[in-house]
Amino acid sequence: MNNNNLIRREVQEYLSTSEGQERSNTGFEVRESTVINALIVGRSQTGKTTLLESLKNTNYASYVTGFSGTRNVTHHPIIIREKETNRYYQINLIDTIGLHEHSQDPANNRSDEEILTLVAKFIAKEITSLNAVIFVSKAGDLHLHDISAFRSLMTFLGSSFRANTMMVLTHCEGLTKDRFDILANGIRTHPSSRDISDYCSLGIHPHGTLNFDQLETFVGEGDFDLRKRFIEKKLEIITPMRRNILQLLIAQHEKQLPVQELQEILKIANEERMRFVEVEIRKKNKKNGCFIS
């Protein structure tokens, strides 16, 4: 055995002793983790942020506001451990502004083109690849606005991301499996949404959360037991939904796609915006009798 191997063995043996572990202890537990980037997209007020928050916090409960709460593209890393393999994953959940924006002040609403440009800028700046895209819609409420928004997103993402895309239907906490299957099958087979379902190669999946508005119906004295039973029943439905979505995201850990295409889309969008501005300036100049080109 050469000197290098001998020294290496002695160091490892010492570090494996209780004395070596005590002296090398930094007070932090360090683990390697696999990074997964997931983009959450959809129409305003469909539950995108609620989905994100419930994946971050299993005790999360939502409430109805009636307005879009997301004004910027935001990045939320969570660390999870797969118990069976003891493997750690860092899932970066990217929350986006809802298309067909519906904010409290209508003057602040932005066009879908402006929102998608913001999303592309964030992605181009912050990440180099995407493992999963989650189209979010409200169960039983996939209407023309959703279809329009999803088609804009399909154009924005391009065909290469279809293998990494799923659809999640929110507000499913009150649905039976049979009722959800009927809704999902309707999306798969209806002529107006079939192409969207086909794009979502990872399937259509349910999601739900505890709801403060429903819990507020149990407010009297002695209603604690009723609230507890209500919560237990809902968690029996909700927990498997969350587990399924996390398992789907983990399964994408080796299926990341580069985002160069989105950067190219951003470039095209900016060029198109500049052309539009130039056309508007020419129209204004012509109207005012100015023919400078």
Side-chain angles (χ1 to χ4, degrees):
M1 180 180 296
N2 61 42
N3 288 338
N4 285 342
N5 289 337
L6 176 62
I7 293 170
R8 187 178 295 111
R9 190 189 70 180
E10 289 177 344
V11 169
Q12 291 300 324
E13 287 177 351
Y14 173 73
L15 290 176
S16 66
T17 65
S18 58
E19 180 185 358
Q21 290 179 7
E22 179 65 27
R23 290 182 180 277
S24 63
N25 184 15
T26 62
F28 298 96
E29 182 179 357
V30 179
R31 299 274 186 173
E32 289 187 359
S33 63
T34 301
V35 175
I36 298 168
N37 294 319
L39 183 69
I40 303 175
V41 291
R43 182 173 57 87
S44 180
Q45 283 294 292
T46 52
K48 296 184 301 299
T49 301
T50 298
L51 167 63
L52 181 150
E53 292 294 341
S54 70
L55 293 176
K56 286 168 54 180
N57 176 10
T58 56
N59 298 320
Y60 180 79
S62 65
Y63 59 91
V64 175
T65 65
F67 297 100
S68 174
T70 304
R71 293 291 300 166
N72 296 294
V73 183
T74 53
H75 166 233
H76 304 263
I78 60 173
I79 304 292
I80 62 173
R81 179 176 70 89
E82 191 174 31
K83 293 181 180 178
E84 290 183 4
T85 62
N86 199 37
R87 189 170 183 177
Y88 286 76
Y89 298 88
Q90 176 178 316
I91 302 179
N92 296 318
L93 300 169
I94 303 166
D95 192 14
T96 60
I97 311 150
L99 300 183
H100 300 300
E101 192 173 30
H102 184 60
S103 60
Q104 288 182 311
D105 183 355
N108 290 330
N109 290 341
R110 290 158 291 187
S111 70
D112 288 354
E113 290 76 15
E114 289 174 305
I115 290 169
L116 289 173
T117 299
L118 287 174
V119 173
K121 283 182 176 179
F122 178 91
I123 291 172
K125 180 180 177 182
E126 299 292 337
I127 62 175
T128 59
S129 64
L130 282 174
N131 299 75
V133 177
I134 304 175
F135 281 5
V136 178
S137 184
K138 188 175 179 180
D141 194 26
L142 181 69
H143 50 59
L144 292 176
H145 289 309
D146 286 281
I147 291 169
S148 172
F150 286 153
R151 291 207 172 113
S152 295
L153 289 164
M154 287 159 60
T155 301
F156 169 71
L157 292 166
S159 60
S160 61
F161 278 94
R162 63 188 299 143
N164 294 51
T165 300
M166 70 182 81
M167 181 184 293
V168 169
L169 300 184
T170 60
H171 300 79
C172 288
E173 61 272 6
L175 299 183
T176 63
K177 183 181 182 304
D178 288 344
R179 177 59 182 151
F180 172 78
D181 288 342
I182 290 171
L183 289 175
N185 191 55
I187 294 170
R188 294 186 190 101
T189 58
H190 196 281
S192 64
S193 56
R194 187 185 300 131
D195 61 327
I196 298 168
S197 173
D198 290 344
Y199 188 92
C200 298
S201 298
L202 297 180
I204 302 173
H205 306 277
H207 182 265
T209 62
L210 295 173
N211 188 293
F212 277 126
D213 298 308
Q214 294 174 341
L215 291 171
E216 284 178 353
T217 61
F218 308 104
V219 295
E221 290 187 18
D223 282 343
F224 173 76
D225 288 338
L226 286 175
R227 284 196 298 272
K228 182 181 176 183
R229 286 199 294 274
F230 176 85
I231 291 170
E232 288 172 345
K233 286 292 184 183
K234 289 297 181 184
L235 287 177
E236 289 177 4
I237 299 171
I238 292 167
T239 301
M241 294 176 180
R242 291 175 175 168
R243 183 185 302 117
N244 174 59
I245 292 172
L246 287 172
Q247 287 173 336
L248 285 165
L249 291 175
I250 289 172
Q252 291 296 110
H253 73 274
E254 292 182 340
K255 300 176 183 178
Q256 63 271 18
L257 290 174
V259 298
Q260 284 95 334
E261 286 190 26
L262 299 186
Q263 294 172 2
E264 184 62 27
I265 289 168
L266 172 60
K267 179 182 175 184
I268 293 169
N270 286 334
E271 290 173 352
E272 192 63 33
R273 184 177 299 278
M274 289 305 298
R275 278 195 291 269
F276 173 79
V277 170
E278 289 172 1
V279 169
E280 291 301 307
I281 290 173
R282 288 197 186 100
K283 287 180 181 177
K284 186 176 180 180
N285 288 339
K286 187 175 181 180
K287 184 178 179 181
N288 294 334
C290 177
F291 298 97
I292 298 173
S293 61

